[in-house]
């Protein structure tokens, strides 16, 4: 029990210092049924009593695994009922949408899931949605982006907050801590069979590449990649603000068009010029 108390106490102290949640807020907890999101729900339920905010369980059924997906949904609904917390659910036939778009299955699933989360905030049903991404998820994301090719923004990995609508309270916890804690508390959870499919890049990174790097190169690879992502986000924030401030005198907006003198742009450093052009396009 001492271990359980220590982990929650450390996490709750971090949440209070980050001020993600406030009295009177209505906070949704995205729960898939897996260990990360289930433990997050239990921690958030305790934190809500301390900080006086209201919880809702949010579940999105991707309809990718037939009866298994429906079983996850029933399990999460049961959790919400047992904790006497409101239950909100969305769904989409992700496989069909991905085929129609000829898109990446994981990418389409994420897009539709987050579209649902954002809609709950935009409609005023929730103030923010919390997801259960852990330090391992962060390390996996950074490695995947390195493998695919990315810039500073991508190297920032999973951002702790997204558009003031989504927060990731568990980024400071490793998956090992989550698994140990949930076992110590005897909390049941669901296992997603698709997480064992090594044809998916994230699963290969999780099950093969990260263990290899930890075993053969650096056992601290997960915290190091998380620290790297933290620094990349700090750098990105500074460089974005610098580019905006330096280019502001020369950027000329006329209706929907925005212009900047070519000579001014070519006299900038390539790093600054790229950022200015990207900001104008966005």
């Amino acid at each position: 029990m001492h271990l359980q108390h220590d982990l929650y106490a450390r996490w709750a102290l971090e949440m209070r210092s980050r001020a993600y949640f406030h009295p009177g807020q209505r906070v949704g907890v995205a729960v898939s049924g897996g260990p990360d999101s289930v433990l997050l729900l239990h921690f958030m339920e305790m934190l809500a009593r301390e900080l006086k905010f209201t919880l809702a369980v949010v579940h999105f059924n991707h309809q990718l695994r037939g009866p298994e997906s429906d079983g996850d949904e029933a399990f999460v609904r049961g959790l919400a009922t047992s904790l006497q917390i409101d239950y909100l659910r969305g769904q989409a036939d992700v496989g069909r949408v991905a085929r129609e778009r000829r898109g990446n299955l994981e990418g389409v699933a994420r897009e539709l899931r987050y579209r649902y989360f954002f809609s709950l905030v935009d409609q005023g049903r929730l103030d923010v949605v919390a997801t259960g991404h852990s330090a391992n998820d962060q390390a996996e994301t950074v490695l995947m982006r390195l493998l695919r090719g990315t810039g500073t923004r991508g190297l920032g990995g999973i951002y702790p907050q997204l558009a003031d609508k989504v927060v990731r309270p568990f980024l400071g916890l490793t998956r090992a801590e989550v698994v140990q804690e949930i076992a110590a508390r005897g909390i049941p959870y669901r296992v997603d069979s698709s997480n064992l499919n090594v044809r998916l890049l994230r699963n290969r990174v999780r099950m093969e590449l990260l263990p290899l790097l930890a075993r053969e190169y650096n056992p601290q690879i997960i915290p190091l990649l998380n620290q790297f992502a933290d620094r990349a986000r700090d750098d990105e924030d500074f460089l974005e603000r610098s580019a905006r401030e330096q280019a502001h005198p020369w950027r000329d907006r006329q209706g929907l068009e925005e212009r900047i003198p070519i000579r001014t742009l070519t006299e900038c450093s390539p790093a600054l010029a790229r950022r200015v052009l990207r900001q104008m396009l966005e």
Side-chain angles (χ1 to χ4, degrees):
M1 184 61 71
H2 183 63
L3 168 67
Q4 300 166 26
H5 174 74
D6 282 352
L7 187 65
Y8 173 76
R10 172 164 65 86
W11 176 81
L13 180 63
E14 181 187 355
M15 292 303 100
R16 285 190 287 270
S17 69
R18 291 184 179 273
Y20 285 155
F21 311 111
H22 308 284
Q25 269 189 320
R26 185 164 170 79
V27 180
V29 183
V31 184
S32 65
D36 295 351
S37 65
V38 169
L39 185 63
L40 175 63
L41 175 60
H42 282 79
F43 274 19
M44 288 290 291
E45 195 267 338
M46 290 186 283
L47 188 68
R49 291 201 301 266
E50 292 180 31
L51 299 186
K52 310 301 181 187
F53 58 83
T54 303
L55 283 187
V57 171
V58 179
H59 181 76
F60 189 82
N61 189 334
H62 300 89
Q63 300 181 345
L64 286 171
R65 293 172 286 117
E68 188 178 328
S69 292
D70 295 337
D72 291 346
E73 181 177 341
F75 173 79
V76 174
R77 187 187 297 110
L79 273 179
T81 300
S82 67
L83 294 172
Q84 298 182 319
I85 296 172
D86 286 349
Y87 174 74
L88 304 173
R89 55 94 66 185
Q91 67 175 16
D93 188 342
V94 172
R96 178 182 58 78
V97 175
R99 288 191 298 273
E100 290 175 351
R101 296 184 184 178
R102 298 183 180 179
N104 174 271
L105 190 65
E106 291 176 282
V108 171
R110 183 188 186 280
E111 177 193 339
L112 296 177
R113 180 170 66 250
Y114 275 81
R115 182 184 298 174
Y116 176 63
F117 295 164
F118 277 34
S119 74
L120 293 174
V121 178
D122 292 338
Q123 294 165 13
R125 301 176 71 184
L126 297 173
D127 294 304
V128 70
V129 176
T131 69
H133 293 93
S134 69
N136 289 62
D137 293 310
Q138 182 71 285
E140 293 160 13
T141 298
V142 172
L143 277 179
M144 288 168 63
R145 291 181 179 174
L146 280 170
L147 292 171
R148 288 170 169 164
T150 188
T152 313
R153 182 184 292 185
L155 292 176
I158 302 171
Y159 279 58
Q161 293 180 279
L162 183 60
D164 294 324
K165 298 178 182 180
V166 171
V167 295
R168 281 72 179 244
F170 263 16
L171 283 179
L173 301 184
T174 66
R175 187 164 293 128
E177 288 178 307
V178 169
V179 170
Q180 184 177 10
E181 182 77 5
I182 208 166
R185 290 178 178 268
I187 300 172
Y189 59 89
R190 298 277 292 181
V191 176
D192 184 341
S193 62
S194 67
N195 288 336
L196 305 176
N197 181 1
V198 293
R199 290 179 298 177
L200 301 176
L201 177 59
R202 181 175 290 276
N203 291 346
R204 291 201 303 277
V205 169
R206 175 183 300 150
M207 300 169 66
E208 298 173 2
L209 182 56
L210 266 175
L212 173 67
L213 293 174
R215 184 173 63 250
E216 301 291 340
Y217 295 91
N218 191 331
Q220 296 300 310
I221 188 66
I222 290 174
L224 285 175
L225 286 171
N226 275 261
Q227 292 165 17
F228 175 72
D230 291 343
R231 290 193 295 269
R233 290 195 302 275
D234 288 343
D235 290 351
E236 178 69 13
D237 180 61
F238 173 77
L239 292 170
E240 283 289 291
R241 283 188 285 108
S242 297
R244 191 172 290 108
E245 291 166 3
Q246 292 185 49
H248 178 72
W250 298 285
R251 286 171 64 172
D252 177 33
R253 180 181 291 277
Q254 298 179 3
L256 297 177
E257 293 186 349
E258 190 172 12
R259 303 178 180 186
I260 190 168
I262 293 176
R263 181 174 179 180
T264 300
L265 202 62
T266 56
E267 289 175 351
C268 293
S269 70
L272 181 61
R274 283 195 297 270
R275 288 178 182 278
V276 171
L277 285 173
R278 187 178 70 194
Q279 289 172 358
M280 292 173 68
L281 289 168
E282 289 177 344

